[in-house]
Amino acid sequence: MHPFPRTILALTLAVPLAAGAAEKAAAGKTEVTWYGHATFVVKTPGGTVLAIDPWFSNPKSPDPKLAETIEKVDYVLVTHGHRDHVGDAVALATRTGARLVASFDLGRALVAAGYPEAQAGFATLGNVGGSIEAGDATVTIVPAVHSSDVTGEGGQRPGGNPTGFVIKVKGGPTLYHTGDTDAFGDMRLIPERFGRVDVMLACIGGHFTMDPAGAALAASLVRPGRIVPMHYGTFPVIAGTPDELRKALRGRTPVTVLEPGKTVAF
């Protein structure tokens, strides 16, 4: 047989195989959706769904009733007890059965505020430095510099220490949600302990958290692959902008600005 037809046949077979490999690679990405403020939904390649600081009814959210309609949430991650971060956690957990990942003190306060107690136990509550297995992701609770309290039916309760989360996705990226914080020196330990942070979800609004200059300083300590700004523009007082962040970074770290409700794969 002439070698030319074999070559054509091989190339013909290679095209669908290459396309299939590309589709498989796309399917293996980690999907991140920002819903405004500090609220994110993360879907891992294995299908685990994490909702972080799920205040879906915030003024910037394109879907304020998402807590009532989202099909699946496996874990709810809450950085600290303020209402704009606890958000719709109780309603979301009651409907979906999602387990709570938070500091132990915050977890107890949220149970008192109505979070289902069976979904907030030792398996998923921890403290700074502790790691929690959440499907095909490992969530480590890390420090943040802020405050924390929980307001519920029983009044106001202490919410434990504020935190951030380092989320290492199996076969995927490492995400760092800073929580509400200012830049602080121990952020430099994040890459030393966890390796390269691929995506840093960083507050930039100012007033209650670090502003763009503070976020740029934080990025210089963490050295992430890229930074996604959050916690800005929800209210007039948190006025920091992504453009100000870019100027403060001076090109040292790429900035990816997410549009509320639009999913991006990493």
Side-chain angles (χ1 to χ4, degrees):
M1 183 177 181
H2 196 280
F4 182 72
R6 289 185 180 178
T7 304
I8 294 296
L9 178 61
L11 289 172
T12 303
L13 290 173
V15 170
L17 288 174
E23 289 173 4
K24 185 176 180 181
K29 294 284 189 178
T30 296
E31 297 178 353
V32 177
T33 310
W34 182 50
Y35 286 93
H37 209 58
T39 302
F40 292 85
V41 172
V42 176
K43 184 176 181 181
T44 70
T48 302
V49 180
L50 315 173
I52 309 172
D53 286 355
W55 186 31
F56 294 116
S57 51
N58 76 76
K60 293 292 184 182
S61 174
D63 193 351
K65 294 187 179 298
L66 187 62
E68 301 172 14
T69 60
I70 190 169
E71 292 183 4
K72 178 189 178 187
V73 176
D74 299 296
Y75 299 89
V76 170
L77 283 58
V78 182
T79 60
H80 64 289
H82 294 158
R83 287 182 177 182
D84 58 324
H85 294 263
V86 172
D88 306 300
V90 172
L92 184 63
T94 300
R95 192 178 68 79
T96 65
R99 296 172 123 190
L100 178 64
V101 177
S103 73
F104 190 78
D105 293 342
L106 177 57
R108 289 187 298 181
L110 289 178
V111 167
Y115 202 101
E117 187 172 9
Q119 296 158 222
F122 280 107
T124 59
L125 298 182
N127 217 319
V128 170
S131 295
I132 292 146
E133 297 304 316
D136 58 331
T138 301
V139 181
T140 303
I141 303 171
V142 295
V145 179
H146 195 58
S147 58
S148 179
D149 59 42
V150 175
T151 301
E153 293 180 2
Q156 196 172 51
R157 296 172 176 268
N161 293 326
T163 67
F165 297 112
V166 173
I167 304 166
K168 294 181 74 73
V169 178
K170 184 178 180 180
T174 296
L175 313 175
Y176 170 33
H177 189 296
T178 65
D180 279 12
T181 191
D182 190 15
F184 57 98
D186 283 352
M187 283 182 169
R188 71 176 73 251
L189 299 178
I190 296 287
E192 289 189 24
R193 180 173 179 193
F194 302 103
R196 179 180 174 84
V197 169
D198 298 295
V199 183
M200 180 176 176
L201 311 174
C203 47
I204 68 164
H207 197 84
F208 292 107
T209 71
M210 57 190 174
D211 60 8
L217 175 58
S220 74
L221 300 172
V222 177
R223 306 189 304 276
R226 65 185 57 254
I227 186 167
V228 171
M230 65 170 182
H231 206 285
Y232 68 93
T234 320
F235 308 108
V237 294
I238 51 175
T241 68
D243 283 342
E244 291 172 335
L245 176 62
R246 288 191 183 96
K247 289 177 183 177
L249 286 166
R250 298 178 182 176
R252 293 188 294 265
T253 306
V255 176
T256 299
V257 179
L258 302 188
E259 181 181 344
K262 301 296 184 182
T263 299
V264 176
F266 294 104

